[in-house]
Amino acid sequence: MIPDWLAQDSSSVPLPAPSNWGRSGFVEKTIDNAAHFLKDTMVNETVARRNGLLQAIDPRVKLITVLAIIVSVSIMRSPIIIWGIYGFTLLLAVASSISLMFFIKRVWLFIPLFSAFIVIPALFNVVTPGDPVWTAFHLAHSYDFGPYHIPDTITVTRQGVLTAVTFIGRVSASVSLAVLLTLTTLWNDLLQALRVLKVPRIFILILGMTYRYIILLVHTVYDIHVARKSRTLHYGPTGSEQRWVASRMGYLLKKTYMISQDVHNAMLSRGFSGDVRTLTPSRIQGYDYAWCIFVLFICVFSIVLDRTLVPW
Amino acid sequence: MKKPIFDLSAVSYRYHTAIPAIEGISISIQPGESLAILGANGSGKSTLLHLLDGLIFPNSGTITAFGKILTEDKLETEDFRHFFRSRVGFVFQNPDIQLFCSKVYDEIAFGPLQLGLPEREVVKRVDDVLDMLGISSLKDRTPNQLSGGEKKRVAIASVLSLNPMVLLMDEPTSSLDMRTRHWLIVLISELTKAGKTIITTTHDISLVKQISSRVIVLGEDHRVLADGTPHEIISDHELLHRANIIHEHETDTFGYTRKPEDLPNEKKIIGFPHSSANKNE
C-alpha cells in the first residue's frame, strides 16, 4: 500500500554542508516576534495579578487618578517637580511589586524614540535663544529666512537644556504612569474601566474581543511558522519566500473573516441583538477613596510648589 | 404523544446555494429526547445544528420550532427571539469561537444578561453554574489562559446559564482528554435525567450508546440514512460502513463489527498492532 520511497530508511539522506543550510530570515523572526508578544502578554498578566499597591485599587479609580496626575504633570513647568513626580512613579512601581530595572527599561525604551528627535533641536540657540553653555560650531555668517534667524555661532543654551530636561521629564513621568496603569491592571479590567469615561458598552465589548482574538491569531501565526520551520531544509530565494508570506497573510485574513462570522453566530445564539448588556461593576471601596484623596493631595501640592518655583 | 420541539419537513440547505450540506431531511424531535446525530465528516451534522439553532435557514423545506415556523424574519422579532434563545442553547465544536468575552465570569453571564434577566438572578445563575461544573477557580481567567478541557467546560457553562430546554452540542467530546470526556458524558446523562432535550452530533460510535436514546445517521449524500435506537444503529454494520462511520478494518475497537481474522487476506495490509492477524505477518 505504501510506496517504496516511504519504506526507505531516511537516515541515508546526506547532511548538507553548513554553508547550504540557508538563512533563517523572516520565519525565525516571525516566530521570535510572535513568541515575544505572547510572552509579553503573559508577563503583563502576571504582574497585574500580583499583590501590590496599585493592583489593589479599583481599575476605574486607577484610570481616573493616573489621568489626573498626567494632566497635572502636563501643566507643570518646574523640572524639579516634574522629575519629582517621575521619582514618585518609581516608588509606586516598587510598592506594586514591579522590578525597578524591568520598569525603567520598559519606560526608557520608548522615551528616547518619541522625544529625542523633538528635543535635540530645542537644545540649540537656533530654536531656543539664551545664555550659551557650549559652542557647537561656527558658520561663515548669520542667515535670515523670513522670521527665522540663524546666528553665526551655534551654541547649546541654558534655556534650551532646561526646556529639554523639562520635556523629557514630562514624557518620562507620563509614560511611566501609563506603563504603571497597564502593568498593574488586567487589560480586560482596563477596558471595562473605560465605562467611567462614558465609552459605549458595545465599543468596549469590541475592543475586548479584538484583544482576545488577536492573541488567538498570533498563536495561529506562530503555529504556521513553526510548522513551516519544521519542514524546511533550507530557505528559498527571497521572491518565493515573499510569495509564501503573502499567501499566509491571505490565509490569515480569510481565517479572521471566518472566525468573525462564527463568533457572530455564537453571540446570536446566546441572545445578542446588537444592544449589549453587561453586569454593573462592583462598588468602590474605602481603600480606593483613600487613594483618591492621596492623589488629589499629590496633584494640588505639586502644582502649588511648581507655581512657587516657576511663577506665571 | 407530546408536541414535538422541532419538526423538520423536507429541509435542504446548500452553502453558497451550490454546495449541498443537507438534503431533504424530515425528522421530529420530541421534548426530553436525547438524540445523537451520527455521520462522517462533511455529512452535514454541524449544518443541521446551525439550522436547528436558527443561525442559518433552509433553502427549501420548513423547520417548525415550538409549534412556530422558524424563519429569519420571525427571529428578528424581539418577542420570538427572546422566547427561542432562552429555550435553545448551542455548544459549538470550537470553544474558542464561543468564548468571546474577556473573562470567564462575563462569558457565563453574557447569555442571561442579553435575555434581560435581573442582575441578581444572573449573578446567582453564574455562581451556581460555576459551582456545578467545578470551575469557580477559573472565573477571573481570560479564555487565553484556559486549557482545551477548561474551555469546553466554560463553553458549556455559558450555555447552561441560559437554562435552555434544548441543548445542541456539536462534537462535544472532540479533542478532549479521557477525564474531561467522562465528565461530559456524566453531565449529559444528568441533564437528560433533568428533562432537557439533548441533541448531539458525533462521528464517535462509542459515545452514542452512552449519551443517547435515539440515533439519526446522516449519509455522505447528506440525507437521513437511518433513524433508530442506539442498539439498532450500532448493530447494523452494513449501515455504519455505508455512512463511513466505521471502516471495515476498524473492527474490534468497539466489538461492533467483524474481527480482523474474519477479513479477507487482501484487507490485512496494515492491520492492528494488537491483533493476532498482524502478529502473524
Side-chain angles (χ1 to χ4, degrees), chain A residues 1-2 41-42 45-46 49 186 188-189 191-192 204-205 207-213 215-216 219 255 258-281, chain B residues 50 53 55-56 78 81 85 88-90 92 95-103 105-116 119 122-123 126 140-145 151 155 158-159 162 269-270:
Chain A
M1 188 172 182
I2 60 171
T41 312
M42 276 191 283
E45 290 196 356
T46 311
R49 287 182 192 279
L186 289 171
N188 306 308
D189 291 343
L191 289 178
Q192 294 301 326
I204 292 171
L205 179 77
L207 279 178
M209 288 169 70
T210 306
Y211 180 68
R212 151 103 179 92
Y213 286 104
I215 293 178
L216 190 76
H219 271 290
K255 193 174 173 69
M258 285 162 70
I259 288 176
S260 72
Q261 282 183 322
D262 289 342
V263 170
H264 184 240
N265 273 343
M267 292 173 79
L268 289 179
S269 175
R270 274 153 64 201
F272 175 72
S273 59
D275 183 24
V276 183
R277 297 181 182 93
T278 53
L279 287 169
T280 310
Chain B
H50 279 73
D53 198 36
L55 296 174
I56 52 176
E78 174 96 30
R81 185 176 58 240
R85 295 292 175 212
V88 183
F90 190 176
F92 288 72
D96 272 321
I97 298 303
Q98 197 161 349
L99 307 186
F100 48 78
C101 288
S102 310
K103 274 187 187 178
Y105 199 92
D106 294 336
E107 193 67 63
I108 301 170
F110 182 88
L113 279 170
Q114 304 323 302
L115 294 176
E119 201 159 313
V122 173
V123 170
V126 176
D140 290 325
R141 295 241 200 119
T142 61
N144 298 314
Q145 295 171 316
K151 279 181 186 171
S158 71
V159 172
L162 289 163
I269 298 166
I270 295 178

Side-chain angles (χ1 to χ4, degrees), chain B residues 157-256:
Chain B
S158 71
V159 172
L160 288 183
S161 62
L162 289 163
N163 187 22
M165 283 171 68
V166 183
L167 201 58
L168 309 171
M169 302 179 103
D170 195 3
E171 300 277 4
T173 56
S174 67
S175 51
L176 289 185
D177 58 56
M178 289 312 283
R179 193 180 299 151
T180 314
R181 181 188 150 96
H182 175 73
W183 167 85
L184 188 58
I185 290 167
V186 171
L187 177 71
I188 291 173
S189 307
E190 286 187 13
L191 290 170
T192 309
K193 277 183 207 156
K196 306 284 183 199
T197 306
I198 314 276
I199 305 172
T200 316
T201 65
T202 185
H203 56 252
D204 177 359
I205 50 173
S206 68
L207 188 67
V208 164
K209 254 186 175 174
Q210 294 167 292
I211 61 162
S212 61
S213 56
R214 178 187 169 196
V215 183
I216 287 175
V217 181
L218 289 185
E220 290 182 297
D221 59 354
H222 315 288
R223 296 174 186 277
V224 173
L225 270 184
D227 184 348
T229 64
H231 179 75
E232 286 166 355
I233 299 294
I234 289 168
S235 53
D236 190 343
H237 310 151
E238 195 275 330
L239 168 75
L240 295 175
H241 184 220
R242 192 148 46 96
N244 192 17
I245 292 160
I246 57 164
H247 187 267
E248 55 199 325
H249 289 185
E250 200 178 348
T251 53
D252 57 353
T253 311
F254 308 114
Y256 299 134

Side-chain angles (χ1 to χ4, degrees), chain B residues 3-19:
Chain B
K3 217 172 164 185
I5 283 186
F6 286 108
D7 196 15
L8 282 71
S9 172
V11 169
S12 294
Y13 182 83
R14 287 168 179 258
Y15 284 103
H16 312 295
T17 65
I19 306 159

Side-chain angles (χ1 to χ4, degrees), chain A residues 134-203:
Chain A
W134 178 69
T135 302
F137 54 91
H138 296 279
L139 298 171
H141 54 86
S142 60
Y143 297 90
D144 285 296
F145 299 102
Y148 301 105
H149 172 72
I150 299 175
D152 54 356
T153 306
I154 305 297
T155 59
V156 172
T157 64
R158 193 180 65 82
Q159 286 79 356
V161 172
L162 207 64
T163 304
V165 169
T166 309
F167 181 76
I168 293 179
R170 205 173 269 155
V171 175
S172 317
S174 303
V175 172
S176 297
L177 285 162
V179 168
L180 272 180
L181 177 69
T182 52
L183 270 180
T184 60
T185 319
L186 289 171
W187 184 244
N188 306 308
D189 291 343
L190 194 57
L191 289 178
Q192 294 301 326
L194 291 174
R195 282 289 298 149
V196 290
L197 302 177
K198 302 290 175 202
V199 176
R201 281 195 180 96
I202 186 75
F203 192 66

Side-chain angles (χ1 to χ4, degrees), chain A residues 43-44 46-56 89-103 180 183-184:
Chain A
V43 168
N44 282 1
T46 311
V47 173
R49 287 182 192 279
R50 281 184 196 152
N51 288 325
L53 176 78
L54 288 178
Q55 287 89 338
T89 63
L90 296 182
L91 289 177
L92 285 179
V94 173
S96 304
S97 313
I98 300 170
S99 150
L100 214 49
M101 279 312 292
F102 168 78
F103 179 64
L180 272 180
L183 270 180
T184 60

